[in-house]
Amino acid sequence: MLSPVEASKNEQYMFFKSKEGKEKIITLYNQKLNELNIEYSEKLLVTKFGATNIIITGNTKNPPLLLIHGTGGCAPLILESFPNLSTTYCVYAIDVLAQPNKSAENRLDMKSLDYGKWLTEVIHILGIKEVTLVGFSFGGFISLKTLEFNETLVKHVFLIAPVYIVNGNPIKNILNVFVPLKSFIKKGKQKHIKKVMQTLFSEYDDFGLTFMATTFQNCNMDFSPLPIMSKNDGNRIKTPITIFAAEKDIMFPGRKMIKRAKRIFPSLNEIVLLEDSKHVPSTKNFKMIEDFVLQSEVLY
């Protein structure tokens, strides 16, 4: 039995603030999943790091692709951005732990290899190999942590505005993202969350705004500093890496990312600058990335 101190500590790190808040998120999750109008199956895997929900779409005989969303996201939202990957791949869209979705609320240590160990365990449980990873934002961080821990099961990695290579100007991020975000969490005014969306998203719709607002009102988000991969760790990776860097991403600036990625990744296959793109690319840019990934499967 947990001591009062341990119980208090566990309670502090629960992701959802309330049962009602979780229900609101899951309702939006299921709404988006239904709107996709796709054939899919849903699996809940038991891992050492927590229950992990996965949406599977496409022919299971096709090459496997793991699709990993970013902070504040979920599997249906990242699937919406890549509607055609399932024509060539069997797509496993992962609900990342401690995010607004159906996976466990356990938040892993970003400084350790735990996120890489977790995703490697997911791959083992699914019984797949020669996996293509497509990671957006924090999903890029998870992809790189997986390569650090065990890259033998991974064929190619595509990173979109990834966390873990560079960070932006902290003052700009505080003023343009964290201050309005904290104001929204405290006061609930739409103008504050809209400022955040306008800073981070190249474009967004009403559902995106509602999902983000509901997430930040009902979830305990992690605002701790984001780590940066060391040059030595990057140098050890042998798996081909393709990076899509967003030019106007204030969180992870595109040109700065390109410069450092060329220095630390000897296995860098290709790097693309998404001109005029903020952190979250436009529908047009997501389509370009999707076409690139599909073409790569043909070539490699």
Side-chain angles (χ1 to χ4, degrees):
M1 190 171 183
L2 291 176
S3 71
V5 172
E6 289 172 322
S8 175
K9 187 176 179 182
N10 278 5
E11 201 171 297
Q12 180 185 350
Y13 286 99
M14 291 298 285
F15 180 72
F16 294 104
K17 293 179 180 178
S18 67
K19 181 184 176 184
E20 293 75 22
K22 182 174 182 177
E23 288 172 354
K24 288 178 183 177
I25 293 290
I26 300 305
T27 297
L28 289 170
Y29 181 109
N30 289 332
Q31 176 188 328
K32 178 53 64 178
L33 185 54
N34 290 334
E35 285 174 1
L36 296 179
N37 197 26
I38 59 173
E39 289 187 12
Y40 69 91
S41 61
E42 206 166 351
K43 275 190 178 181
L44 191 65
L45 307 183
V46 178
T47 80
K48 288 181 287 189
F49 300 93
T52 303
N53 190 67
I54 301 176
I55 297 171
I56 305 167
T57 181
N59 191 329
T60 53
K61 294 179 181 178
N62 285 344
L65 182 148
L66 265 60
L67 195 54
I68 314 162
H69 65 77
T71 299
C74 61
L77 281 174
I78 195 74
L79 279 168
E80 183 179 41
S81 297
F82 296 103
N84 300 305
L85 288 179
S86 59
T87 61
T88 299
Y89 294 94
C90 179
V91 177
Y92 300 84
I94 313 293
D95 273 339
V96 174
L97 299 171
Q99 295 295 335
N101 56 44
K102 297 180 181 180
S103 285
E105 299 180 48
N106 307 336
R107 182 171 286 135
L108 308 185
D109 179 7
M110 289 190 289
K111 294 179 182 177
S112 73
L113 290 174
D114 282 357
Y115 277 103
K117 291 176 182 178
W118 162 67
L119 197 67
T120 299
E121 186 180 358
V122 167
I123 294 170
H124 278 300
I125 294 171
L126 290 171
I128 54 180
K129 56 186 178 179
E130 292 196 352
V131 174
T132 296
L133 299 182
V134 177
F136 166 63
S137 190
F138 193 69
F141 168 84
I142 294 168
S143 300
L144 288 170
K145 284 288 185 178
T146 303
L147 296 186
E148 278 188 80
F149 174 64
N150 180 3
E151 61 182 322
T152 60
L153 298 173
V154 182
K155 176 183 176 183
H156 199 143
V157 173
F158 296 89
L159 308 174
I160 306 153
V163 174
Y164 202 35
I165 299 173
V166 295
N167 284 332
N169 183 303
I171 296 173
K172 282 186 179 179
N173 289 334
I174 288 169
L175 292 176
N176 292 285
V177 179
F178 297 107
V179 168
L181 202 48
K182 293 282 190 178
S183 296
F184 174 71
I185 292 168
K186 186 177 180 180
K187 300 174 183 177
K189 292 185 178 179
Q190 286 288 296
K191 67 177 182 179
H192 296 306
I193 191 65
K194 283 182 178 179
K195 181 173 182 182
V196 176
M197 299 290 283
Q198 288 160 6
T199 298
L200 298 180
F201 285 67
S202 299
E203 60 187 32
Y204 64 89
D205 58 15
D206 288 342
F207 182 90
L209 178 62
T210 299
F211 191 87
M212 285 290 283
T214 306
T215 293
F216 283 103
Q217 283 174 326
N218 295 281
C219 303
N220 292 309
M221 304 302 292
D222 186 3
F223 294 110
S224 56
L226 296 168
I228 296 293
M229 175 181 263
S230 72
K231 184 176 180 180
N232 286 340
D233 288 337
N235 282 171
R236 281 194 284 268
I237 294 172
K238 297 176 182 177
T239 304
I241 296 172
T242 297
I243 296 175
F244 299 90
E247 183 182 28
K248 294 187 176 177
D249 185 349
I250 73 163
M251 300 286 288
F252 317 106
R255 293 188 187 278
K256 183 180 178 183
M257 181 178 293
I258 289 173
K259 191 175 179 181
R260 185 161 194 262
K262 287 179 177 177
R263 288 205 316 267
I264 71 170
F265 295 126
S267 67
L268 190 61
N269 186 65
E270 191 152 357
I271 193 157
V272 178
L273 180 68
L274 304 176
E275 294 181 0
D276 295 324
S277 177
K278 297 178 184 178
H279 179 59
V280 182
S282 63
T283 301
K284 181 180 177 182
N285 273 331
F286 271 124
K287 178 67 169 65
M288 182 273 289
I289 294 166
E290 181 180 64
D291 290 343
F292 198 104
V293 175
L294 291 170
Q295 186 63 27
S296 295
E297 179 59 29
V298 175
L299 294 175
Y300 302 105

